[in-house]
Amino acid sequence: MIYTCTMNAAIDLYVELDTLKPGRVNRTVDEDYQPNGKGVNVSIILKKYKIDSVAMGFVAGFTGRFIEQSLHEMDVKTDFVQVDGITRVNVFMNADKEYKLVNQGPSVTAEKQQELLDKVAQFHAGDTFIVSGSLPRNVSESILAEMAKICETNGIDFVLDTSIRSLQAILHHKPYLLKPNEEELADFFGLEHELTEEECIHYGKELLTQGARNILISRGEKGSIFINDDTCILATSPKGDVLNTACAGDALLGTFIGLYKNGTPLEEALMRATATGASTAFSKGLSDLQDVPQLLNQVEVTRREYV
């Protein structure tokens, strides 16, 4: 079974405006409310590919109930820990430019954190546990190391997609896959410039030497890179009109893990994942997959000789 974990879930409100002007009432021309959070997105994209998963994490209040109800309507199973407060609402506006307003979310007690860890300890060997997104208030990065340790001990494949500096504590437990984007990869190594393709490969390999088993780097319009001890594969991204980049990396990760874990050859899984990520960027929310076959025709993969 694949489990996804969103510790700081959200409802994402997508709004479109002709213009956005300060000090005035700005009327929207389109709006859409969607259950969100990076792990939630992974579970949704998996279901679109007819792959089952269980969405986990923390939810709170009426907005949390909306997320659970929405997932159930999509036939996605859930096993969230209920906490006090209100699950956050994030706003993504597309006017003359793209604007992203991301809120903090509820505070989570130590008791509720332990409740989530206890659920992870019940997984079976061979299960996949995907942890994505930011941490809510009162939750430290140490919970990720605890999760990684539980997974290593119990033979669970631990996948991580989140921005943290304390990677050493997690790499020590040999995570199955890390999915940084270019900016996160640079941040891991204290770099402040935009990484070149060669630098992405170099620092991806460095994460392998420190314990990670697989690396999937999302590069936006430049495509994606997959690296492990045996191979390095680059995929180009299709071209199109970008509406919202917020969920593209989640679509990439969910598609790749779901297909690859279900036996799809590596290059094919990476190609379809890259096309699905691009399709999502060209949509208001997660892709409906309708244009993925067409976008696949624009994806090219290159296998680099591994050194």
Side-chain angles (χ1 to χ4, degrees):
M1 177 58 74
I2 297 176
Y3 297 88
T4 68
C5 181
T6 310
M7 283 186 271
N8 205 8
I11 294 174
D12 278 6
L13 168 59
Y14 297 91
V15 295
E16 184 176 347
L17 309 91
D18 293 327
T19 59
L20 181 62
K21 298 180 179 180
R24 297 179 61 178
V25 173
N26 293 277
R27 302 287 182 183
T28 65
V29 297
D30 194 14
E31 63 183 61
D32 189 31
Y33 298 83
Q34 297 182 7
N36 216 290
K38 295 178 73 63
V40 168
N41 291 335
V42 170
S43 275
I44 293 173
I45 209 73
L46 285 168
K47 177 55 68 172
K48 288 176 183 285
Y49 275 104
K50 304 186 187 306
I51 299 170
D52 289 332
S53 68
V54 178
M56 304 176 63
F58 303 113
V59 291
F62 73 98
T63 46
R65 290 192 294 274
F66 171 85
I67 290 172
E68 289 195 281
Q69 178 183 343
S70 298
L71 289 173
H72 293 162
E73 290 173 354
M74 300 177 200
D75 199 27
V76 175
K77 298 177 182 178
T78 64
D79 189 18
F80 287 102
V81 174
Q82 303 289 329
V83 302
D84 293 333
I86 297 175
T87 291
R88 61 193 178 143
V89 178
N90 297 329
V91 182
F92 298 88
M93 297 182 292
N94 200 319
D96 54 323
K97 298 179 181 178
E98 184 182 18
Y99 300 87
K100 304 178 183 181
L101 306 177
V102 178
N103 294 305
Q104 295 183 68
S107 179
V108 180
T109 66
E111 291 76 16
K112 292 296 184 179
Q113 294 176 48
Q114 187 59 52
E115 186 176 338
L116 179 59
L117 291 171
D118 291 342
K119 289 178 181 290
V120 177
Q122 300 303 311
F123 297 166
H124 299 102
D127 286 341
T128 301
F129 184 43
I130 304 172
V131 180
S132 305
S134 63
L135 298 175
R137 286 181 290 172
N138 200 44
V139 178
S140 74
E141 293 182 355
S142 63
I143 194 172
L144 299 171
E146 294 181 67
M147 289 175 169
K149 181 179 180 180
I150 292 171
C151 290
E152 180 186 29
T153 301
N154 296 340
I156 300 158
D157 286 338
F158 182 67
V159 177
L160 183 64
D161 177 16
T162 187
S163 304
I164 63 169
R165 282 294 187 96
S166 56
L167 260 186
Q168 293 299 329
I170 293 163
L171 291 169
H172 174 72
H173 297 293
K174 299 178 174 59
Y176 176 77
L177 184 141
L178 300 181
K179 194 218 73 68
N181 59 32
E182 280 187 340
E183 183 179 341
E184 290 164 342
L185 184 61
D187 194 48
F188 291 157
F189 291 96
L191 305 173
E192 297 182 355
H193 64 273
E194 182 176 339
L195 299 184
T196 64
E197 182 178 284
E198 293 303 321
E199 286 177 314
C200 286
I201 295 172
H202 171 78
Y203 289 109
K205 289 179 179 178
E206 181 62 26
L207 292 176
L208 294 176
T209 66
Q210 295 181 31
R213 288 182 281 163
N214 299 282
I215 304 295
L216 177 61
I217 304 169
S218 55
R219 308 184 67 219
E221 63 183 11
K222 291 177 283 187
S224 60
I225 302 174
F226 175 84
I227 310 171
N228 62 20
D229 284 337
D230 301 315
T231 191
C232 174
I233 304 176
L234 290 76
T236 63
S237 179
K239 305 302 180 185
D241 294 327
V242 175
L243 296 179
N244 171 51
T245 60
C247 307
D250 309 331
L252 171 79
L253 175 60
T255 304
F256 179 80
I257 286 290
L259 296 181
Y260 189 49
K261 281 284 190 172
N262 278 272
T264 300
L266 176 58
E267 288 189 8
E268 182 181 343
L270 184 63
M271 288 178 65
R272 188 166 291 274
T274 304
T276 306
S279 174
T280 295
F282 305 155
S283 308
K284 289 186 294 185
L286 286 169
S287 169
D288 61 8
L289 308 187
Q290 295 300 310
D291 61 348
V292 169
Q294 176 185 352
L295 294 174
L296 267 172
N297 295 326
Q298 299 183 48
V299 179
E300 298 180 359
V301 295
T302 304
R303 187 180 289 267
R304 287 286 186 88
E305 182 176 348
Y306 198 87
V307 179

